[in-house]
Amino acid sequence: MRIFYAALMLLVMTTFAQAKIHTEMVEYKVGDTACEGYLAYDDALTAKAPGVLIVHDWMGMGPFAKKQAERIAELGYVAFAGDIYGKDTRPTNPKEASGAAGKYKKDRKLLRERAAGALEILAKNEKVDAKRLAVMGYCFGGTTSLELARSGAEIMGCVSFHGGLDSPTPEDAKNIKAHVLVMTGADDPSVPPAQIQAFEEEMRGGKVDWVLTAYSNAVHAFTNPAAGNDNSKGVAYNEKADKRSWEEMKSFYQELFGAAK
C-alpha cells in the first residue's frame, strides 16, 4: 500500500512539474496599425479552453498586463493581453500615458475597433473555445472592456478593475450580450458617485446582467503595487481590495465557464 501511494504521489508531482505556462509575443494588425500582444496558456491543456482578453492600463501593453495574462493562464484559461495603442506606442511616463489613453477615450469607435481586433486574434487561436470568451481590463483597460461589450461583441463576460464607467452613448448598453462585473474603489476620485449612478442607470436601461462592487478605503489603480500606498494622491495599491477583487473575478469566470482546473 505504501508503495502504491508513493507511486501515486510521484505521478502527481511529475504531472505538476511538467505543466508550465507557455508565453509568446504575438504580432498582429488592426487595420493598418501594427500591434503586439502577449499570449499565455498552460501547455498541459488537452482541450479547447475559454479565452480571456486582458486590456492594459494607460501605460500600455507591458509588464503588468503580461503578469495578469500569466495569472489567468494559471487558472486554466487561454489569456491574451491585447495591444490597444499599437506596438510603436509604449508610454514611459504619466504624461505620455495620458496622451495615449486620451486619444482613444475621445474616439470610442477607434477604441472598440482596436479591442475587437485583439479579441479576434484570441478567438482564432487553436487552443481557444471561441464560444466561451471574456474580456477584462485595468483602469484604461476597464473602460475598454466595457466599450467592447457595448459594441455588441460576442463575449460571455466583461470585467472592469477600477476602470472609468462613463459612456458618450449610454443607449449602447442595449447591445451588451455579456454578463458584466465592475470592481471599483469606493474612494476613487476618477469614478465619482455621479458616474457610478449614471452607469447603474445605463445598465438597467439596457437590461444588462451586472454586478458592481465598491471596495472600502480603495482609490484608483488598487490592484497595481507600482501605484504606491498614498491614498491622498487618488492612486494607490490596496492589498485587501486587490485580493478580494481577484477572488470575485475567479468566481465570476467559474459561473460563466464552469471549473477550468
Side-chain angles (χ1 to χ4, degrees), residues 20-24 38-44 70 73 79 127:
K20 63 180 181 179
I21 301 301
H22 170 88
T23 64
E24 63 181 281
Y38 185 74
L39 181 70
Y41 59 83
D42 189 327
D43 67 1
E70 292 168 7
K127 295 186 176 295

Side-chain angles (χ1 to χ4, degrees), residues 24-35:
E24 63 181 281
M25 300 302 297
V26 178
E27 293 195 7
Y28 64 102
K29 276 194 169 184
V30 180
D32 296 327
T33 301
C35 301

Side-chain angles (χ1 to χ4, degrees), residues 3-188:
I3 294 176
F4 170 77
Y5 280 118
L8 180 61
M9 289 303 297
L10 178 62
L11 176 61
V12 171
M13 292 174 66
T14 301
T15 299
F16 278 115
Q18 290 176 343
K20 63 180 181 179
I21 301 301
H22 170 88
T23 64
E24 63 181 281
M25 300 302 297
V26 178
E27 293 195 7
Y28 64 102
K29 276 194 169 184
V30 180
D32 296 327
T33 301
C35 301
E36 188 175 48
Y38 185 74
L39 181 70
Y41 59 83
D42 189 327
D43 67 1
L45 287 176
T46 58
K48 289 182 180 292
V52 179
L53 173 65
I54 294 106
V55 186
H56 55 75
D57 60 17
W58 73 337
M59 292 302 294
M61 221 298 292
F64 183 75
K66 291 179 181 179
K67 178 61 177 178
Q68 303 314 306
E70 292 168 7
R71 294 177 72 195
I72 290 295
E74 289 170 356
L75 298 178
Y77 309 124
V78 178
F80 183 60
D83 180 10
I84 302 301
Y85 296 161
K87 66 179 296 184
D88 293 332
T89 302
R90 295 289 184 264
T92 59
N93 56 61
K95 183 178 179 180
E96 293 178 359
S98 179
K103 171 184 175 180
Y104 295 93
K105 286 187 177 181
K106 292 175 183 176
D107 189 345
R108 300 295 176 104
K109 181 176 182 293
L110 179 60
L111 180 59
R112 293 180 182 188
E113 288 174 355
R114 293 289 173 85
L119 183 68
E120 183 178 2
I121 295 300
L122 174 65
K124 288 182 176 179
N125 187 281
E126 63 180 6
K127 295 186 176 295
V128 173
D129 179 352
K131 293 183 179 180
R132 295 193 292 166
L133 300 174
V135 61
M136 59 184 275
Y138 296 82
C139 301
F140 168 81
T143 301
T144 305
S145 298
L146 289 168
E147 283 300 317
L148 183 61
R150 291 175 178 123
S151 75
E154 294 292 341
I155 53 178
M156 293 180 67
C158 170
V159 180
S160 170
F161 290 88
H162 43 77
L165 307 179
D166 63 300
S167 172
T169 55
E171 63 276 9
D172 285 352
K174 67 180 184 299
N175 301 324
I176 296 177
K177 302 172 183 176
H179 303 276
V180 173
L181 172 61
V182 166
M183 292 171 286
T184 191
D187 300 329
D188 187 345

